[in-house]
Amino acid sequence: DIQMTQSPSSLSASVGDRVTITCRASQSISSYLNWYQQKPGKAPKLLIYAASRLQSGVPSRFSGSGSGTDFTLTISSLQPEDFASYSCQQSYSTPITFGQGTRLEIK
Amino acid sequence: QVQLVESGGGLVKPGGSLRLSCAASGFTFSDYYMYWIRQAPGKGLEWVSYIHYSSTYTNYADSVKGRFTISRDNAKNSLYLQMNSLRAEDTAVYHCARGSTWIQLSEFDYWGQGTLVTVSS
């Protein structure tokens, strides 16, 4: 199984900050990496697919990069609605696996 | 708009069974791979199972293989998960999610809010 490791597991930041979350795969997954945002009691929301492609309707302050084993999700200027949990997911091979999540909190 | 609404969760004793449903609307259900993904309290997301758009094949996580069965009824725009021999570690919120029209493994562009399954005596 491919292990997905996110860092940090939690992060405190302020509105307007630039934030980066990293995701590392235990083996190369090419660009088969997707990012989700999740708020309590709500359905997860796809933000980025294929490592760097912005899902339709997602604000452009979200961006993704990386390939192989190392990936990043960047939020260029945090907005109040961005405080949530973020998870990466590999779609390279079964079993599909997710990172453990990063909780983004207001400082 | 695309909607996925899960139902059927609840409290069940260890060894018991439960059947989850996911009602889909707003898209051509029969064109898409569909998935079940769960999240245990305080834990990350865990893929459970997926099914081909015409039910030709299915796949399961090792943790549920032999106990859970995924199925779909394209005429009713519905996805199901039959869960047998439930264990405490199956306690989680179960989400259905939409995959791709052409590839087994993909991103999930729409998710339901989930239904809570609690396995406890």
Side-chain angles (χ1 to χ4, degrees):
Chain A
D1 298 5
I2 298 175
Q3 308 302 318
M4 306 301 294
T5 304
Q6 282 182 240
S7 60
S9 54
S10 64
L11 174 61
S12 294
S14 302
V15 172
D17 283 354
R18 179 183 179 91
V19 165
T20 297
I21 298 168
T22 65
C23 181
R24 175 165 288 174
S26 60
Q27 66 185 73
S28 177
I29 57 171
S30 184
S31 296
Y32 293 94
L33 191 283
N34 312 301
W35 289 99
Y36 300 89
Q37 179 191 69
Q38 192 173 11
K39 297 181 179 180
K42 300 271 187 123
K45 177 183 177 182
L46 177 65
L47 300 174
I48 301 286
Y49 65 99
S52 61
R53 299 188 177 190
L54 192 67
Q55 173 68 356
S56 176
V58 173
S60 59
R61 63 181 180 272
F62 291 92
S63 64
S65 65
S67 67
T69 60
D70 294 315
F71 302 87
T72 60
L73 172 71
T74 299
I75 309 171
S76 60
S77 178
L78 274 173
Q79 298 303 300
E81 60 268 29
D82 299 337
F83 292 94
S85 291
Y86 294 84
S87 297
C88 60
Q89 171 236 336
Q90 63 84 13
S91 51
Y92 180 79
S93 67
T94 53
I96 290 167
T97 47
F98 292 83
Q100 81 278 15
T102 294
R103 186 172 166 185
L104 179 53
E105 301 173 322
I106 301 174
K107 184 183 285 185
Chain B
Q1 74 281 21
V2 173
Q3 277 199 306
L4 297 169
V5 180
E6 303 91 340
S7 61
L11 175 63
V12 61
K13 290 181 167 52
S17 298
L18 215 50
R19 188 194 196 208
L20 306 184
S21 299
C22 171
S25 60
F27 66 103
T28 305
F29 180 72
S30 58
D31 283 351
Y32 288 83
Y33 284 85
M34 294 296 297
Y35 291 76
W36 286 101
I37 296 152
R38 68 185 181 183
Q39 187 165 30
K43 302 289 188 182
L45 295 161
E46 180 189 15
W47 165 71
V48 174
S49 181
Y50 71 76
I51 186 167
H52 181 260
Y53 40 82
S54 62
S55 304
T56 302
Y57 45 81
T58 58
N59 203 347
Y60 300 90
D62 285 346
S63 57
V64 307
K65 201 171 292 183
R67 300 186 299 122
F68 290 12
T69 303
I70 192 171
S71 62
R72 65 192 295 163
D73 185 336
N74 287 343
K76 295 183 177 179
N77 292 335
S78 292
L79 176 72
Y80 306 101
L81 186 68
Q82 177 67 43
M83 304 186 297
N84 298 331
S85 303
L86 282 161
R87 305 166 180 167
E89 53 265 35
D90 296 317
T91 294
V93 173
Y94 285 73
H95 299 274
C96 62
R98 190 178 85 166
S100 169
T101 57
W102 63 282
I103 193 171
Q104 295 177 44
L105 306 184
S106 70
E107 68 278 6
F108 311 122
D109 61 351
Y110 288 95
W111 298 59
Q113 280 193 272
T115 186
L116 176 62
V117 172
T118 303
V119 184
S120 175
S121 55

